[in-house]
Amino acid sequence: MKVKQTIAKPFLKWAGGKGRLIEQLVDFFPPEITTGQLTKYAEPFIGGGALYFYVAQHYSQIEKFFISDCNRQLVLTYKTIQQNVDDLVDFLSKLQQKYYCLDKDEQKNFFYQQRLKFNQNIAEINLEKLSKLWTEQTGLLLFLNRTCFNGLFRVNSKGEFNVPFGDYKNPKICDAENLKLVSNLLTRTEIRLGDFTASNDFIDSATFVYFDPPYRPLNKTSSFNSYAQGDFNDQEQLRLANYFRELSDKKAKLMLSNSDPKNVDENDNFFEELYQDFRLERVSAARMINSRADKRGKLKELLITNY
């Protein structure tokens, strides 16, 4: 007998997702999250949202939520699930049924047809007005995420999705049960398109904020910043650190993740200098997105807090 799912889970596979790190991150949560002093939660780089899902379902005293991202297609996906999940489930169910009826070569051709359609739709999306195109575009994004290579979301300089076919056998394209749980969770969440500063008017001294920006690359070949157009370079890391300082002055409780340069260069003090007024800890993380299995493994990541 199938047990009914009661916990909403991240609906996207996402490079750098925090699902495997949650237990370590929870150990560094501010004590006020359990005493009722914190009633708001903000996550300005939402990505796959693993920590958002955890906080929203384990800390009942948190009443208001804010998530944002500069990736238009990602924000569209959260908004569609929030506002029109039934039509989305219907669209995905039909897409999955059609995909399962195809042989491998046909599935590959079908994948590239849907990828082309997704990219052609990008310029037509109006994020201010719910439409049928929202449902189609979100459905296509979830389809591509489940059927592309390594489940990555990556775009080129034009903002077009460019990950190749993944060749998985019967991937779960339509997870209706989970999508409906996610939709219910999102009813008390403000979703906004914008960079990390878009969260400023939401955040106050009663807010716990988690930042999970594109990581500073450890070397020239390890960069994976292209989940949206434009690079998150060292200048952006500096701008984020300044914003972190601003919010700390507001007395918000802040936590930020990033790569640890000392994995490859013991003398690289970039983050120690950038966040010299704050607490830096190191946690172990598994790198899973490298195409070479021998390059995957445990690395240290930085966890920076203002408490």
Side-chain angles (χ1 to χ4, degrees):
M1 180 176 157
K2 185 183 175 184
V3 178
K4 186 174 175 62
Q5 181 182 337
T6 57
I7 297 290
K9 299 172 184 175
F11 54 87
L12 285 171
K13 290 192 282 183
W14 198 258
K18 290 296 173 289
R20 295 169 182 269
L21 269 181
I22 284 177
E23 288 186 11
Q24 291 188 72
L25 297 180
V26 170
D27 287 342
F28 292 96
F29 277 7
E32 292 87 349
I33 198 168
T34 58
T35 60
Q37 292 163 268
L38 295 175
T39 57
K40 300 165 73 177
Y41 176 81
E43 194 167 330
F45 299 89
I46 187 59
L51 201 66
Y52 158 76
F53 285 104
Y54 184 88
V55 171
Q57 295 174 103
H58 288 82
Y59 297 92
S60 58
Q61 63 273 29
I62 305 287
E63 299 165 354
K64 295 180 181 178
F65 296 85
F66 175 98
I67 61 176
S68 65
D69 208 278
C70 61
N71 183 320
R72 288 179 62 85
Q73 305 306 307
L74 180 63
V75 170
L76 173 73
T77 299
Y78 279 98
K79 280 179 167 282
T80 303
I81 294 171
Q82 181 193 56
Q83 298 179 36
N84 199 21
V85 71
D86 291 335
D87 283 357
L88 176 62
V89 165
D90 185 55
F91 180 88
L92 284 169
S93 179
K94 290 173 181 173
L95 204 61
Q96 177 174 279
Q97 193 172 12
K98 186 171 184 178
Y99 188 76
Y100 284 1
C101 290
L102 304 174
D103 64 31
K104 188 181 292 187
D105 288 338
E106 290 172 331
Q107 286 183 342
K108 185 174 183 178
N109 289 333
F110 185 73
F111 170 87
Y112 286 108
Q113 289 169 9
Q114 304 316 305
R115 193 179 79 169
L116 178 63
K117 189 185 298 183
F118 176 86
N119 287 332
Q120 289 173 337
N121 284 345
I122 287 173
E124 305 300 319
I125 296 294
N126 177 0
L127 269 177
E128 301 306 314
K129 187 176 181 182
L130 178 66
S131 67
K132 287 184 178 179
L133 193 56
W134 280 30
T135 301
E136 177 178 85
Q137 191 72 343
T138 295
L140 290 174
L141 186 148
L142 293 175
F143 167 78
L144 293 171
N145 185 249
R146 291 295 168 183
T147 56
C148 74
F149 179 73
N150 261 4
L152 297 178
F153 187 99
R154 186 186 65 207
V155 296
N156 60 21
S157 59
K158 297 177 183 177
E160 297 171 335
F161 185 86
N162 66 350
V163 185
F165 180 60
D167 191 20
Y168 300 111
K169 186 175 181 180
N170 296 336
K172 192 165 190 176
I173 295 163
C174 181
D175 190 347
E177 191 174 19
N178 187 55
L179 286 172
K180 288 177 180 179
L181 288 169
V182 172
S183 180
N184 185 56
L185 209 60
L186 289 170
T187 57
R188 52 197 176 110
T189 302
E190 180 180 349
I191 305 167
R192 197 179 295 180
L193 173 68
D195 81 349
F196 51 86
T197 61
S199 61
N200 193 24
D201 59 356
F202 176 85
I203 296 167
D204 58 22
S205 61
T207 314
F208 176 38
V209 188
Y210 176 59
F211 294 101
D212 188 22
Y215 277 17
R216 184 172 186 253
L218 295 176
N219 53 57
K220 290 180 180 179
T221 61
S222 70
S223 177
F224 188 81
N225 285 355
S226 48
Y227 75 104
Q229 283 177 278
D231 289 329
F232 204 86
N233 55 25
D234 281 0
Q235 195 60 38
E236 288 296 289
Q237 297 286 0
L238 174 61
R239 195 164 69 91
L240 176 57
N242 289 334
Y243 185 60
F244 191 95
R245 204 163 281 111
E246 275 181 47
L247 296 185
S248 187
D249 289 342
K250 281 189 176 188
K251 307 300 182 185
K253 300 299 180 184
L254 313 174
M255 174 186 280
L256 182 146
S257 294
N258 218 308
S259 58
D260 182 5
K262 294 187 184 299
N263 282 299
V264 294
D265 182 0
E266 273 295 323
N267 297 314
D268 190 333
N269 296 314
F270 180 80
F271 287 113
E272 277 86 355
E273 293 171 5
L274 207 53
Y275 291 95
Q276 59 184 320
D277 299 327
F278 303 104
R279 178 183 175 189
L280 272 75
E281 299 284 352
R282 286 174 167 83
V283 295
S284 293
R287 171 180 282 177
M288 299 304 293
I289 66 168
N290 200 299
S291 58
R292 288 178 53 183
D294 63 331
K295 295 291 184 182
R296 299 173 189 163
K298 291 289 185 182
L299 289 175
K300 293 292 183 182
E301 288 190 4
L302 291 178
L303 204 57
I304 299 161
T305 61
N306 71 334
Y307 49 84

